[in-house]
Amino acid sequence: MNEPFLDTIDEQSPPLAEAAKPVASLHEGLLVALRDFIVEGNLADGARVPERALCERFNISRTPLREALKVLAAEGLIELLPNRGARVRQLSSEDIRELFDVMGGLEALAGRLACERISEEEFAEIEQVHHEMYRFYLRRDMHGYFHCNQAIHQLIVAAAGNATLASTYAGLAGRIRRVRYSANLAKDRDRWGEAMREHEAILDALRRRAGSELSDILFQHLRNKRKAAQASA
Amino acid sequence: MNEPFLDTIDEQSPPLAEAAKPVASLHEGLLVALRDFIVEGNLADGARVPERALCERFNISRTPLREALKVLAAEGLIELLPNRGARVRQLSSEDIRELFDVMGGLEALAGRLACERISEEEFAEIEQVHHEMYRFYLRRDMHGYFHCNQAIHQLIVAAAGNATLASTYAGLAGRIRRVRYSANLAKDRDRWGEAMREHEAILDALRRRAGSELSDILFQHLRNKRKAAQASA
DNA sequence: GGTTGATATTTTGCATTCATTTTTTGAAAG
DNA sequence: CTTTCAAAAAATGAATGCAAAATATCAACC
């Protein structure tokens, strides 16, 4: 469970040097810490990953660090160049387009599966967050709106009841999380109304358990989100 | 580009000991070799991964091997237990259900995207393989049929023109590849006719560039495939 | 001033080593 | 014969060491 999706309005990541918390378990711990470190944008886009510096930062030797870097490369967060170390992966607009589409496909799937198995309780929660989001929309409270928006998408993925889906989704979300700020479509007021209407349709289809319809709507919703994001970039 | 999907009828993987080809580049090389080694079923399901033995098998020391194992764990092929090494990941029927659904979702996405951008040439190729597959079906040639089947699904994913989708799909396919033999629904003659009809519908929807429709059909197709597979297991 | 090329420095990739933890072994007890 | 427990053996996780490769430095030259 990493991060729901784009569309957050939170402030930029914390300053580079932190209180150097001494990595808890070091098993999973280092990996998580390092991933956060990168995802949170502590390293510039395309910058080379300073092995030695990170060793000191996390108080470990190069061996476990390099193992973690390999994993992060497999996750697509960084890339390894033979004999010249790791670089923070720079996403082209094409990469972002691809990522949005795949996430759209996964959300479409989540919607479809959710329709098959969502409980009344789960639906009620989504409905509640939806109404809350609507109130934020009326009040033009972007921060609140996007918080709810995130929550809804996350709840739909969770309602699908498919851990493989959830972790695949989280992996992709992690990759674009770095660019979420630049992709902050929130500024686009016209799109906002449209997005709100789309969310109405999402809730409606989910209420009717119309899986294939919801699937379409969710995919298109992500498509539109991406278009707005890339247009404003 | 790993492997299209289940549904192959190929014979079981080669015997455990091979000619010990000395890992080419060792950068990407070891990882690929080791992944193949595991995916091809050289290690029993749930068996512990013998670090030392693999070091000798691939003529490398433990450091690079362990890096590779970490990556394979991230890919979901093996799992790492703290202080007790790596095990070949054993997929529960629930895991398989999940994987099929996610792959179904990704194929649905691939179909949708393919409808947007597939060229006449690409479509013609799929159509051709489809007809070839039909001839195999009429002749009751399972091996030929499944080879074409695989090719069609792979061509649709390729026609989507989304590298992120393709690699995500390949990653999941790799996980499931180990169990493809047990999931060999080929034996189910009734399902075969049904599958053939579904493929007719797939081709038809693709011809009409009916993205959302194709999306539904593909997802259901994978669903049915999975049900047949799990029923016969 | 800018370019080229040789040398020094750093960094990478892998092997080796070491401390811990786990697993195995085997003998004693029930 | 089975269970229990302690010691031995093996495996894991991580640090260090070392050769090869890449990068940086800097002086000579145009």
Side-chain angles (χ1 to χ4, degrees), chain A residues 26-222:
Chain A
L26 215 52
H27 278 303
E28 193 74 349
L30 170 64
L31 219 186
V32 173
L34 189 57
R35 177 164 34 225
D36 286 353
F37 188 83
I38 305 220
V39 163
E40 282 167 12
N42 291 3
L43 261 41
D45 229 45
R48 82 187 280 158
V49 179
E51 237 175 57
R52 193 152 298 277
L54 288 178
C55 285
E56 291 172 20
R57 166 68 178 74
F58 291 106
N59 276 95
I60 43 149
S61 75
R62 284 180 57 226
T63 306
L65 182 81
R66 297 184 86 256
E67 287 175 356
L69 289 179
K70 284 262 163 97
V71 172
L72 295 183
E75 288 177 9
L77 223 66
I78 62 178
E79 52 191 349
L80 303 173
L81 297 91
N83 286 320
R84 48 177 86 173
R87 297 250 144 81
V88 175
R89 183 153 168 208
Q90 196 151 12
L91 296 177
S92 66
S93 64
E94 171 66 10
D95 290 329
I96 293 173
R97 187 186 68 72
E98 289 195 359
L99 279 166
F100 262 92
D101 272 355
V102 178
M103 296 196 68
L106 291 177
E107 284 210 31
L109 170 65
R112 200 190 284 274
L113 296 177
C115 282
E116 291 177 359
R117 64 174 299 289
I118 195 171
S119 67
E120 275 308 317
E121 289 69 33
E122 287 173 306
F123 176 76
E125 187 181 357
I126 292 177
E127 194 174 31
Q128 187 195 316
V129 179
H130 176 88
H131 291 320
E132 198 181 332
M133 182 172 83
Y134 188 59
R135 286 193 294 276
F136 282 124
Y137 169 69
L138 292 180
R139 277 189 261 138
R140 289 292 182 263
D141 179 339
M142 266 188 202
H143 195 290
Y145 174 86
F146 280 115
H147 181 75
C148 291
N149 185 10
Q150 261 190 346
I152 289 170
H153 285 275
Q154 189 58 53
L155 283 169
I156 291 175
V157 170
N162 184 316
T164 306
L165 166 59
S167 74
T168 305
Y169 182 82
L172 297 177
R175 284 197 224 176
I176 41 182
R177 217 183 128 195
R178 278 184 56 89
V179 294
R180 68 182 164 176
Y181 304 108
S182 67
N184 200 337
L185 55 150
K187 310 289 157 46
D188 186 339
R189 299 277 170 167
D190 294 337
R191 168 69 194 141
W192 200 358
E194 193 178 283
M196 192 62 232
R197 283 192 295 280
E198 285 168 9
H199 265 271
E200 293 286 357
I202 289 168
L203 193 72
D204 179 58
L206 184 59
R207 177 179 293 115
R208 290 182 286 110
R209 308 293 195 269
S212 134
E213 191 183 326
L214 177 55
S215 179
D216 280 356
I217 297 171
L218 278 168
F219 179 73
Q220 274 312 131
H221 178 60
L222 270 275

Side-chain angles (χ1 to χ4, degrees), chain B residues 173-220:
Chain B
R175 285 196 222 176
I176 222 171
R177 217 183 126 195
R178 279 185 54 92
V179 294
R180 67 183 164 176
Y181 305 108
S182 68
N184 200 336
L185 55 150
K187 309 291 156 49
D188 186 340
R189 299 277 170 166
D190 294 337
R191 167 70 194 142
W192 199 359
E194 194 178 282
M196 192 62 231
R197 283 192 296 281
E198 285 168 7
H199 265 270
E200 294 287 357
I202 289 168
L203 192 73
D204 180 58
L206 185 59
R207 177 180 294 115
R208 290 183 285 111
R209 310 292 195 267
S212 136
E213 190 182 329
L214 177 55
S215 181
D216 280 355
I217 297 171
L218 279 168
F219 179 74
Q220 275 311 131

Side-chain angles (χ1 to χ4, degrees), chain B:
Chain B
M1 301 310 137
N2 216 342
E3 173 75 6
F5 195 27
L6 274 222
D7 283 357
T8 171
I9 222 173
D10 299 344
E11 51 292 333
Q12 182 55 267
S13 42
L16 203 145
E18 213 175 311
K21 49 194 166 189
V23 180
S25 97
L26 216 50
H27 278 304
E28 193 74 348
L30 170 64
L31 219 186
V32 172
L34 188 57
R35 178 165 31 225
D36 286 352
F37 188 83
I38 305 222
V39 162
E40 281 167 13
N42 291 1
L43 261 40
D45 228 46
R48 87 188 275 157
V49 179
E51 237 175 57
R52 191 150 298 279
L54 289 177
C55 286
E56 291 171 20
R57 167 68 179 74
F58 292 106
N59 275 96
I60 43 150
S61 75
R62 283 179 58 224
T63 307
L65 182 82
R66 296 184 87 257
E67 288 176 356
L69 289 179
K70 285 263 164 93
V71 172
L72 295 183
E75 288 177 9
L77 224 67
I78 62 178
E79 52 191 349
L80 303 174
L81 296 90
N83 285 319
R84 48 180 85 176
R87 296 246 144 81
V88 175
R89 183 153 169 207
Q90 195 150 13
L91 296 176
S92 66
S93 64
E94 171 66 11
D95 290 329
I96 293 172
R97 187 186 67 73
E98 289 195 359
L99 279 166
F100 262 92
D101 272 356
V102 178
M103 296 197 66
L106 291 177
E107 286 210 29
L109 170 65
R112 198 190 286 274
L113 297 178
C115 282
E116 291 177 359
R117 63 174 300 290
I118 194 171
S119 68
E120 274 308 318
E121 288 69 33
E122 287 174 306
F123 177 76
E125 186 181 356
I126 292 177
E127 193 174 33
Q128 187 195 316
V129 178
H130 176 87
H131 290 322
E132 197 182 331
M133 182 171 82
Y134 187 59
R135 286 193 293 276
F136 282 125
Y137 170 70
L138 291 179
R139 278 188 261 139
R140 289 293 181 262
D141 180 337
M142 266 189 204
H143 195 290
Y145 174 86
F146 281 116
H147 180 76
C148 291
N149 185 9
Q150 262 191 342
I152 288 170
H153 285 275
Q154 189 59 54
L155 283 169
I156 291 175
V157 170
N162 185 315
T164 306
L165 166 60
S167 74
T168 306
Y169 182 82
L172 297 177
R175 285 196 222 176
I176 222 171
R177 217 183 126 195
R178 279 185 54 92
V179 294
R180 67 183 164 176
Y181 305 108
S182 68
N184 200 336
L185 55 150
K187 309 291 156 49
D188 186 340
R189 299 277 170 166
D190 294 337
R191 167 70 194 142
W192 199 359
E194 194 178 282
M196 192 62 231
R197 283 192 296 281
E198 285 168 7
H199 265 270
E200 294 287 357
I202 289 168
L203 192 73
D204 180 58
L206 185 59
R207 177 180 294 115
R208 290 183 285 111
R209 310 292 195 267
S212 136
E213 190 182 329
L214 177 55
S215 181
D216 280 355
I217 297 171
L218 279 168
F219 179 74
Q220 275 311 131
H221 179 60
L222 270 274
R223 260 290 167 85
N224 296 337
K225 215 186 242 191
R226 189 255 297 171
K227 280 180 183 159
Q230 291 199 313
S232 77

